[in-house]
Amino acid sequence: MAEKDHLEEHLEKFVENIRQLGIIVSDFQPSSQAGLNQKLNFIVTGLQDIDKCRQQLHDITVPLEVFEYIDQGRNPQLYTKECLERALAKNEQVKGKIDTMKKFKSLLIQELSKVFPEDMAKYRSIRGEDHPPS
Amino acid sequence: MKITNARHLGSVAEGMMENFTALFGAQADPPPPPTALGFGPGKPPPPPPPPPGGGPGTAPPPTAATAPPGTDKSGAGCGPFYLMRELPGSTELTGSTNLITHYNLEQAYNKFCGKKVKEKLSNFLPDLPGMIDLPGSHDNSSLRSLIEKPPILSSSFNPITGTMLAGFRLHTGPLPEQCRLMHIQPPKKKNKHKHKQSRTQDPVPPGKPS
């Protein structure tokens, strides 16, 4: 998305500005004063530019859990990875339950039909209208 | 899925009730009428079921069709089988389908789970200066603190005027050692295949994926 690239560009410029400011300040010379003042005002304009990007990106939502990863110094892509892995595992688990339930149902109907043949025939005819046995 | 209203099975119900009672023996008491349980407008209690072998010619119990309209569908006696209720509607999308494929996430899955994703934040943001792999709690730079205690801001960003800039006249000379941390950066792993891969891709290390 172009707006995201735009924001990224602004952020990179902002960070670079701060970095250069840090270099100036770490060993300050009087001749650097003008440059320092310029960089300080770049901070303000940089923040203005970043703020302007907000409107175009107001519909982007970020899950709070990603922040935990970032705060621990971990790659946020690990969050995505773990989400996908958890989703797949849960998907498999639920599929297993569904398959087991289906098997149980057919087995139950089978066994009940042996013990209560007439009742089960009636049951099947009722259910057969709206729910084909699977 | 077509949902069958079991109530309109009406006259068939009596015959079925016989089978039921035949299996479980003649009941001493009929099931209590709904009013007794406080459910809805009253209806006369069904007469005791006929003895086994009585045949369909004997007085039939009230059919389910005479049940008051407010009767709970899932209640007893709504069909030929006690507690038989309508099946819940089925949805096409269940856990039995591969949802990753369904939502076209295969590529994303292969990208994140197929190969090894690097652990550190600096691998995600290699060009960011400073020691970003440190936990945010160490240097008060955590995102969590930003959410929990957002800084109080004014409505606009105003340039720093000349008078204000006077406050930024610094002393000459190097900073004391403890303030010099920002120049230390984690060692950048040089990407040997940089010219072959796009910038956004992580390099694939040799060895089996996790």
Side-chain angles (χ1 to χ4, degrees), chain A residues 23-57:
Chain A
I23 292 172
I24 294 174
V25 166
S26 65
D27 196 354
F28 188 71
Q29 305 301 325
S31 52
S32 328
Q33 186 66 54
L36 178 78
N37 293 349
Q38 192 190 39
K39 299 256 177 269
L40 287 171
N41 269 312
F42 270 155
I43 291 180
V44 179
T45 53
L47 286 171
Q48 283 172 336
D49 291 338
I50 291 168
D51 196 47
K52 279 175 200 159
C53 293
R54 266 175 51 182
Q55 280 125 24
Q56 285 139 347
L57 296 164

Side-chain angles (χ1 to χ4, degrees), chain A residues 78-97:
Chain A
L78 288 171
Y79 170 76
T80 312
K81 175 183 168 171
E82 282 171 26
C83 266
L84 285 164
E85 285 174 346
R86 274 204 311 265
L88 189 68
K90 191 75 185 178
N91 199 169
E92 286 174 353
Q93 196 186 57
V94 173
K95 181 178 193 306
K97 282 186 185 174

Side-chain angles (χ1 to χ4, degrees), chain B residues 46-70:
Chain B
T58 53
T63 62
T66 62

Side-chain angles (χ1 to χ4, degrees), chain A residues 8 12 15-16 18-20 22-30 33 36-37 40-41 44 47-48 51 64 66-78 80-82 84-85 87-88 91-92 94-95 98-99 102 105 115-116 118-120 122-127 129-132, chain B residues 1-4 9 15-16 19 23 80-81 84-87 94-100 105 108-109 111-113 115 117-121 123-124 128-129 132-137 141-144 147 157-160 165 168-175 180 182-183 185 199 202 210:
Chain A
E8 198 176 327
E12 280 175 356
V15 168
E16 179 57 23
I18 302 277
R19 192 185 71 87
Q20 288 176 5
I23 292 172
I24 294 174
V25 166
S26 65
D27 196 354
F28 188 71
Q29 305 301 325
Q33 186 66 54
L36 178 78
N37 293 349
L40 287 171
N41 269 312
V44 179
L47 286 171
Q48 283 172 336
D51 196 47
L64 279 179
V66 192
F67 289 178
E68 296 301 322
Y69 283 69
I70 297 172
D71 284 345
Q72 290 164 24
R74 296 177 71 201
N75 191 342
Q77 289 177 331
L78 288 171
T80 312
K81 175 183 168 171
E82 282 171 26
L84 285 164
E85 285 174 346
L88 189 68
N91 199 169
E92 286 174 353
V94 173
K95 181 178 193 306
I98 291 174
D99 289 345
K102 281 182 181 171
K105 180 189 171 180
V115 185
F116 304 120
E118 286 176 19
D119 284 329
M120 286 312 293
K122 280 165 194 164
Y123 172 81
R124 280 167 124 146
S125 67
I126 297 169
R127 280 287 186 239
E129 289 164 16
D130 54 21
H131 181 71
Chain B
M1 184 192 76
K2 196 168 59 121
I3 296 174
T4 307
L9 292 172
M16 290 181 171
N19 248 331
L23 290 164
F81 296 107
M84 182 165 173
R85 51 189 88 178
E86 295 166 9
L87 284 175
T94 63
S96 55
T97 47
N98 185 338
L99 295 169
I100 300 232
L105 289 171
Y109 184 84
K111 178 186 168 189
F112 290 103
C113 305
K115 46 189 179 177
V117 174
K118 297 244 172 89
E119 176 69 27
K120 294 210 170 110
L121 187 56
N123 297 119
F124 182 66
L128 208 60
I132 63 173
D133 292 334
L134 281 183
S137 47
S141 66
S142 67
L143 292 166
R144 173 180 272 268
I147 299 164
F157 297 99
N158 303 312
I160 307 173
L165 280 171
F168 288 98
R169 289 206 201 109
L170 305 181
H171 292 293
T172 318
L175 279 179
R180 282 184 168 269
M182 65 158 284
H183 292 290
Q185 290 193 25
R199 270 184 57 206
D202 282 337
S210 60

